[in-house]
Amino acid sequence: MVVCMKLLSVIVPCYNEEENVSDFYDELFKNTSFFQEKELEVELIYVDDGSCDNTVLEVKKLRERDKRVRLLSFSRNFGKEAAIYAGFQKSKGDYIVLMDADLQDPPSLLPEMYGYIEQGYDSVATRRVTRKGEPPIRSFFARIFYRLMNRISKTEIVDGARDYRLMTRRVVDAILAMSEYNRFTKGIFGWVGYETKWLEYENIERRKGETKFSFWKLFAYSIEGITAFSTVPLTIAAVMGAAFCLVAFVLIVVTVVRTLIFGDPTSGWPSLVCIILLVSGVQLFCLGIVGQYLSKTYMEVKKRPIYLIKEEL
Ligand code: UDP
Ligand code: MG
């Protein structure tokens, strides 16, 4: 009898994760019976996103012992989104799972996730239902972001969704077909569609090391998300402009009529200054919105590569 093994690609973006590389390996392969039972071969792809610590060395050590471990190393830090894209491109698996190196995405969920794939789902996604261990200010802004995002975008972006996701080949091929430079993967997952099963779990804190996302990095990321998946801010700018024109028109009529009836006593100087400040503020704000879209378009038309590989094993 010929046993037809399926290949599972595990993709792990790593940026300065030297302490977590081998812990992740141990944790993933702890439950070998699951892989055997389901006749799954595994390739574990660590994508080193330009780490300046010993991440690459740690991965190489693992590879010496176990050839299932693969390494992709970038020429510099290109960001997690680029690492995800590279991992997907280089993966050969029939099934692909994306996981963080810090073990916030528990490998113990894999059997359950795979069960749903067997049932016919194309994608099994996870979301955390708590934000335990996170700074409250970060949770607060995250919640506002998701609420806003779902108002202004047709693409569903789930609050608390993690990037931890098990997908079939065709989902990953669909994601790869979206070769945009400004990548907001949370939105891309929603955009490609396919039947998705959501699993929920309580937030797990990072095993070792520090988070690689500062508040400002997350803020920039949220702007990325908005410009990539909604053009509503542009409409708001246009509507605001129209509203101000209307108000100005009414005021002109009122002023002319009043002058004709009551003459022209000089008054209203402070209020005039306030109005000029307000209107020029709104103009700059709208210009800024347009600028955001323009800058994203600018980066997009350059068609620069999303990542550059320094070493591949
Ligand atoms: N990461 C990356 N490139 C970056 C930042 C982060 O590849 O520029 C990786 C990081 O090594 C980790 C994952 O993305 O495996 C999630 O990062 P982190 O745990 O710091 O984010 P958080 O869980 O705090 O949102
Ligand atoms: Mg983390």
Side-chain angles (χ1 to χ4, degrees):
M1 198 182 78
V2 183
V3 185
C4 184
M5 298 281 274
K6 294 275 190 189
L7 180 65
L8 172 71
S9 303
V10 182
I11 294 161
V12 189
C14 298
Y15 179 47
N16 297 339
E17 301 280 6
E18 59 180 4
E19 308 144 287
N20 288 314
V21 166
S22 79
D23 282 10
F24 182 89
Y25 174 91
D26 294 340
E27 196 71 30
L28 179 71
F29 290 114
K30 211 163 69 178
N31 185 5
T32 42
S33 61
F34 159 65
F35 299 122
Q36 276 162 7
E37 193 185 307
K38 299 290 180 188
E39 290 168 352
L40 280 174
E41 265 183 283
V42 180
E43 62 167 0
L44 170 54
I45 308 177
Y46 286 102
V47 187
D48 158 51
D49 184 10
S51 303
C52 30
D53 65 356
N54 287 324
T55 301
V56 172
L57 209 73
E58 289 293 322
V59 177
K60 283 182 177 167
K61 266 194 233 161
L62 285 178
R63 189 176 159 82
E64 265 168 33
R65 281 200 275 137
D66 187 345
K67 288 289 177 253
R68 290 176 296 180
V69 175
R70 290 175 58 196
L71 168 73
L72 285 180
S73 189
F74 287 177
S75 62
R76 63 166 171 86
N77 179 241
F78 279 88
K80 187 183 177 188
E81 301 297 311
I84 294 172
Y85 189 72
F88 283 170
Q89 256 186 348
K90 302 286 178 178
S91 70
K92 302 191 186 102
D94 304 286
Y95 307 109
I96 295 93
V97 63
L98 180 62
M99 296 168 96
D100 283 359
D102 57 5
L103 287 165
Q104 277 191 296
D105 303 330
S108 56
L109 265 183
L110 272 177
E112 191 184 347
M113 292 167 91
Y114 189 73
Y116 285 108
I117 292 284
E118 284 181 316
Q119 279 178 29
Y121 284 97
D122 272 298
S123 178
V124 184
T126 58
R127 67 182 280 263
R128 47 181 181 178
V129 282
T130 56
R131 286 180 170 271
K132 192 182 65 181
E134 202 184 54
I137 185 103
R138 184 180 285 206
S139 309
F140 173 73
F141 279 108
R143 214 153 282 141
I144 291 184
F145 169 72
Y146 283 109
R147 211 173 289 164
L148 178 76
M149 203 57 206
N150 282 308
R151 279 260 171 90
I152 64 174
S153 170
K154 287 198 195 88
T155 306
E156 195 199 10
I157 293 158
V158 177
D159 188 0
R162 295 203 45 92
D163 290 337
Y164 185 17
R165 215 175 245 263
L166 176 60
M167 288 156 284
T168 56
R169 186 79 243 170
R170 66 173 173 171
V171 176
V172 169
D173 285 343
I175 293 169
L176 287 174
M178 296 174 78
S179 55
E180 56 214 64
Y181 182 81
N182 297 290
R183 303 189 69 77
F184 182 71
T185 306
K186 282 187 188 354
I188 292 177
F189 285 144
W191 193 91
V192 298
Y194 293 102
E195 257 189 278
T196 303
K197 173 76 188 170
W198 284 93
L199 300 183
E200 296 183 345
Y201 65 92
E202 299 246 330
N203 190 34
I204 300 166
E205 286 186 47
R206 171 178 260 279
R207 177 76 64 95
K208 286 175 185 164
E210 291 278 299
T211 176
K212 306 297 180 290
F213 286 93
S214 66
F215 182 81
W216 290 111
K217 214 166 155 186
L218 283 178
F219 182 74
Y221 187 57
S222 67
I223 302 283
E224 189 89 69
I226 292 172
T227 51
F229 284 91
S230 173
T231 50
V232 169
L234 288 171
T235 315
I236 294 175
V239 169
M240 225 156 27
F244 270 82
C245 284
L246 194 72
V247 172
F249 181 73
V250 172
L251 283 179
I252 289 168
V253 173
V254 170
T255 314
V256 169
V257 172
R258 202 185 51 186
T259 312
L260 288 177
I261 300 173
F262 302 106
D264 185 21
T266 311
S267 67
W269 158 245
S271 55
L272 189 67
V273 173
C274 294
I275 291 167
I276 290 175
L277 278 179
L278 175 71
V279 174
S280 49
V282 169
Q283 276 180 351
L284 280 180
F285 178 66
C286 291
L287 204 61
I289 292 178
V290 178
Q292 280 299 319
Y293 284 89
L294 179 67
S295 69
K296 300 290 174 200
T297 313
Y298 179 58
M299 291 313 288
E300 212 64 63
V301 294
K302 282 179 189 246
K303 292 218 178 309
R304 285 183 182 163
I306 295 169
Y307 61 88
L308 292 173
I309 297 268
K310 187 170 70 182
E311 193 175 7
E312 186 176 349
L313 295 172

